[in-house]
Amino acid sequence: LIFSIGSEEVIHLILDAQTNTTQTKLAEKEKFQDALDESAINRVAFVFINFDQHPEALLQKYGVFSGSSLLNSAIDPFSKIFSSEGLVVIAADKYFEIETFMSLEEDFLKGNRYVTYQADYDAELMKYIPEEINVFWGGEDVERQVKRIATLLSEGNEETTQLFEGVFESYTEKYFGNNVSLIEDIYPILQNEFALAQNAEGKYLISLELEDPTEDALRIQKIANNFISAGAVFEPHIEEHELPDGTIAQEIVATPEELIKSETKYDDLTIYQMETESKEWGVYYSILDSILLASTNKEFLEKSLDLYLNKSDANLAISKIPNSDEVFHFNILSFWPESKLVKSLSTGKEYFGNGVKAYYYIYVE
């Protein structure tokens, strides 16, 4: 059965392709075969999108529906990187799984050590993440994750990748001063498993697995001390000014507010605090053997410490995604409480020399 909505010419194209032996068929295209070969055998549906023929489809993929020539110009470089995408749907007992394979125009990722590196994501730190969260991101080696994205966006160009590195170094100096090195102080504490979560109040919690607890603890304290001396929290407030005509104008300005470092005890654990004098903003962290727990909210951190101390068992429990060294998890009910079907969404990615494979697990009631 062949049908088309709104165009009889599409039917003619398909029928002509059946009889024209000189015309290259879609199924014979290398990109189509790549996408099909990477899809699961137990698929119930397969979709293929050719971005070369329809660049705006790449915009629509990320929820941007527009015929704007400006937006089309902005997405054009990405449509040259991602030439096509295949998508399959798989039905499981408790969720629907969608797998996509976005084919790259060139194999510039092939052999790249940040891409071809394979590590099993064990999600050991997930047991220290409280269950009532909106968003969760867990994986292995933040440095590799960032450099992988930079490599992808720069199409493997080493000079462009170095520009990304320069941007990160400038931000490191801005917030931590010139005594903290991105390579020697920050990257070493980000090379193992990490877990980042946001709760309903918009507060953040991060957990890191430390490679060398003694050395990394010193690095963390050095980073914290330099953040206090070099960084500043800017508190917005309104100032009134009288204009020449006598009217009063209001202006929002920001003034630096000093950070105060202190320590408190939580059972036998130490919580290090960096707070503004007004306590409107702060960072709170604990170093526990080979684990760092830090949060922008003290109560959020204490809930995580309760899990570490076995005073609570209400931790986040989501399935790991096979073949992916990371997991993004979204609690749909946090954003859409009225949802009667979808409860949550988990995603992960796997990188190859010829494309990027993504997994989407849609959990339903």
Side-chain angles (χ1 to χ4, degrees), residues 283-302:
V283 175
Y284 311 85
Y285 65 97
S286 289
I287 303 172
L288 316 167
D289 297 327
S290 60
I291 298 170
L292 168 70
L293 294 175
S295 178
T296 56
N297 179 264
K298 190 175 182 180
E299 292 181 0
F300 199 9
L301 175 62
E302 290 174 349

Side-chain angles (χ1 to χ4, degrees), residues 104-124:
L104 294 171
E105 188 61 35
E106 303 291 343
D107 59 353
F108 55 80
L109 294 183
K110 188 175 182 180
N112 186 284
R113 64 190 180 97
Y114 298 115
V115 176
T116 57
Y117 176 86
Q118 296 293 325
D120 293 329
Y121 174 48
D122 296 325
E124 289 295 323

Side-chain angles (χ1 to χ4, degrees), residues 263-292:
E263 299 178 12
T264 61
K265 284 291 184 180
Y266 190 75
D267 281 8
D268 293 331
L269 306 177
T270 301
I271 296 178
Y272 300 95
Q273 305 180 154
M274 294 183 292
E275 294 179 306
T276 59
E277 189 175 359
S278 63
K279 299 188 183 298
E280 292 292 327
W281 190 90
V283 175
Y284 311 85
Y285 65 97
S286 289
I287 303 172
L288 316 167
D289 297 327
S290 60
I291 298 170
L292 168 70

Side-chain angles (χ1 to χ4, degrees), residues 160-172:
T160 307
T161 304
Q162 290 176 359
L163 287 177
F164 277 97
E165 192 84 1
V167 172
F168 299 142
E169 289 176 351
S170 65
Y171 274 102
T172 299

Side-chain angles (χ1 to χ4, degrees), residues 318-338:
I318 57 177
S319 299
K320 293 182 291 184
I321 296 180
N323 304 319
S324 176
D325 62 357
E326 65 175 2
V327 170
F328 278 97
H329 181 77
F330 302 88
N331 184 358
I332 302 299
L333 295 176
S334 297
F335 303 98
W336 185 21
E338 297 80 13

